[in-house]
């Protein structure tokens, strides 16, 4: 059966040190108080409502975590920063960042047969059908498998219980990070998002400065401004309007929040409340994951 290939010889020392780090990290983080107390709870997996596409099953096989890179999932509301933090972790761990939102946007900007249908769904803030998402994800995994990829961080998948069941059916997810942020900030962050139409860089023009009140702490997040050569090329995602973001949040609570409980009951959920912007949150997230970012430290010391 086809599978994620083992790392090539030249990558082996890196890959094995990562599995050591991440296994240690998983042991530590799963025993920390940040993880759901349901870790020790009895697990009653829901029955499968359907089978995964055969192609997906052939690219993901269960393999001893010591012999592969991490297989993590990032959950969280629109605008919380799943893309920002999961792609940084992917760079650190040397695994691919697979964002189903990016797969959907690539497909809708192509002239493929699905593009019109997808544009309509996304611009209304609705979820794309499980079938379409599973097909896009299978194609992405197939392409990655051909390139010899091992491990992944999934960003924005699974988003329904059925997607979570199907993923559980085909492979083992080691850890699920649930990023959390107050809702008024989420809306502001989505409305401030900008993308450089040339280099694809992600920026945010929102200057979030919420005063603390009634015992609730305040929160400051500096804008993430583009370099001068990107400034004139910034675009806004067509689904980042106030009306659509509110609908995406509603759908998140209805369809995707149950996925948190799915993983909480399996003892895999790491809850992480973002304390502020990247400078405050990134080191704390690494600490919660028991990871070290040498590059970050070196650039801070320089
Ligand atoms: P968000 O900022 O809301 O987290 P994403 O970039 O992850 O946005 O996704 C953009 C859109 O792509 C979603 O609103 C939805 O229409 C579609 N989408 C992405 N991932 C999924 C998924 N796993 N299941 C269904 N639809 C998805």
């Amino acid at each position: 059966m086809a599978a994620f290939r083992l790392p090539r010889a030249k990558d082996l020392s890196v890959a094995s040190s990562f599995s050591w780090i991440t296994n240690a990290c998983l042991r530590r983080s799963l025993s920390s108080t940040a993880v759901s107390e349901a870790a020790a709870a009895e697990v009653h997996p829901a029955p499968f409502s359907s089978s995964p596409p055969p192609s997906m099953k052939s690219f993901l096989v269960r393999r001893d975590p010591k012999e592969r890179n991490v297989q993590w999932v990032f959950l969280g509301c629109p605008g919380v920063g799943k893309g920002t933090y999961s792609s940084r972790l992917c760079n650190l761990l040397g695994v691919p960042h697979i964002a189903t939102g990016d797969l959907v946007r690539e497909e809708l900007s192509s002239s493929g047969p699905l593009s019109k249908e997808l544009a309509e769904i996304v611009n209304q803030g609705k979820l794309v059908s499980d079938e379409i998402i599973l097909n896009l994800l299978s194609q992405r995994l197939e392409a990655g498998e051909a390139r010899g990829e091992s491990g992944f961080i999934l960003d924005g998948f699974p988003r329904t219980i059925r997607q979570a069941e199907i993923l559980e059916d085909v492979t083992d997810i080691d850890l699920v990070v649930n990023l959390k942020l107050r809702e008024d900030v989420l809306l502001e962050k989505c409305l401030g998002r900008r993308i450089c139409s040339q280099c694809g860089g992600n920026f945010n023009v929102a200057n979030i400065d919420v005063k603390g009140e009634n015992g609730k702490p305040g929160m400051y997040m500096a804008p993430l401004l583009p370099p001068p050569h990107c400034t004139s090329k910034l675009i806004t995602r067509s689904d980042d309007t106030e009306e659509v973001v509110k609908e995406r949040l509603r759908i998140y609570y209805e369809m995707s929040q149950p996925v948190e409980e799915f993983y909480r009951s399996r003892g895999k959920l790491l809850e992480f409340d973002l304390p502020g912007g990247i400078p405050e949150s990134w080191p704390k997230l690494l600490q919660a994951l028991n990871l070290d970012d040498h590059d970050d430290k070196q650039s801070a010391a320089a």
Side-chain angles (χ1 to χ4, degrees), residues 78 82 100-101 105 126 128 133 156 159 163 193 237 248:
K82 296 185 294 294
T100 44
R105 279 183 290 278
K126 309 278 187 244
V128 171
I133 283 292
R159 246 176 164 105
Q163 291 176 9
R193 272 204 291 224
R237 262 169 59 172
R248 279 156 58 204

Side-chain angles (χ1 to χ4, degrees), residues 50-66:
S50 76
S51 323
S55 55
M56 185 155 168
K57 199 150 190 165
S58 66
F59 299 117
L60 291 169
V61 292
R62 282 176 213 283
R63 173 172 280 163
D64 186 334
K66 287 193 210 91

Side-chain angles (χ1 to χ4, degrees), residues 10-302:
K10 73 177 174 58
D11 296 327
L12 267 178
S13 60
V14 180
S16 50
S17 65
F18 280 139
S19 42
W20 183 85
I21 293 169
T22 49
N23 286 336
C25 129
L26 280 172
R27 273 197 300 278
R28 274 272 292 271
S29 58
L30 287 172
S31 64
S32 84
T33 49
V35 173
S36 149
E37 287 172 14
E42 216 181 330
V43 174
H44 296 290
F48 295 115
S49 50
S50 76
S51 323
S55 55
M56 185 155 168
K57 199 150 190 165
S58 66
F59 299 117
L60 291 169
V61 292
R62 282 176 213 283
R63 173 172 280 163
D64 186 334
K66 287 193 210 91
E67 289 172 21
R68 59 158 171 80
N69 283 335
V70 300
Q71 298 191 164
W72 290 359
V73 161
F74 263 64
L75 298 180
C77 288
V80 75
K82 296 185 294 294
T84 304
Y85 293 102
S86 59
S87 55
R88 278 183 162 232
L89 279 173
C90 284
N91 286 339
L92 187 66
L93 298 173
V95 294
H97 171 236
I98 303 183
T100 44
D102 289 346
L103 301 180
V104 168
R105 279 183 290 278
E106 269 165 38
E107 186 65 32
L108 73 79
S109 64
S110 74
S111 49
L114 284 178
S115 103
K116 214 168 147 245
E117 184 187 340
L118 287 179
E120 243 168 65
I121 299 170
V122 171
N123 289 333
Q124 287 174 24
K126 309 278 187 244
L127 289 186
V128 171
S129 73
D130 290 339
E131 285 68 28
I132 293 180
I133 283 292
L134 288 163
N135 279 329
L136 291 175
L137 185 59
S138 298
Q139 283 167 24
R140 169 63 187 82
L141 291 168
E142 183 175 359
E145 205 252 351
R147 290 193 291 265
E149 284 178 357
S150 163
F152 51 73
I153 299 183
L154 294 178
D155 158 4
F157 183 94
R159 246 176 164 105
T160 62
I161 289 286
R162 183 172 164 237
Q163 291 176 9
E165 288 170 352
I166 287 172
L167 187 61
E168 196 82 349
D169 190 29
V170 292
T171 195
D172 293 317
I173 294 302
D174 311 316
L175 179 71
V176 178
V177 180
N178 188 28
L179 292 185
K180 296 202 293 203
L181 198 56
R182 36 194 291 178
E183 189 170 325
D184 49 346
V185 173
L186 289 173
L187 182 60
E188 265 194 81
K189 276 196 67 206
C190 281
L191 299 182
R193 272 204 291 224
R194 299 290 181 275
I195 301 160
C196 173
S197 54
Q198 193 160 44
C199 72
N202 286 292
F203 307 102
N204 205 305
V205 296
N207 185 21
I208 290 161
D209 193 2
V210 185
K211 302 273 168 286
E213 56 179 34
N214 304 331
K216 250 179 143 184
M219 173 167 286
Y220 179 68
M221 286 184 177
L224 189 60
L225 296 174
H229 56 270
C230 294
T231 312
S232 63
K233 302 173 191 109
L234 295 185
I235 51 168
T236 304
R237 262 169 59 172
S238 56
D239 57 343
D240 275 344
T241 62
E242 184 164 346
E243 195 193 346
V244 179
V245 172
K246 285 187 173 158
E247 177 63 2
R248 279 156 58 204
L249 284 169
R250 191 190 68 74
I251 297 226
Y252 183 86
Y253 296 128
E254 185 186 318
M255 306 293 290
S256 308
Q257 210 162 35
V259 177
E260 296 174 12
E261 187 50 40
F262 179 93
Y263 287 117
R264 189 177 290 119
S265 70
R266 286 161 175 78
K268 292 184 177 176
L269 197 73
L270 172 71
E271 307 270 16
F272 188 79
D273 278 292
L274 288 155
I278 297 172
E280 301 83 38
S281 303
W282 177 239
K284 290 224 166 73
L285 179 61
L286 291 179
Q287 206 179 12
L289 293 169
N290 199 22
L291 292 171
D292 211 0
D293 186 354
H294 289 292
D295 286 352
D296 218 39
K297 279 198 184 135
Q298 272 162 10
S299 57

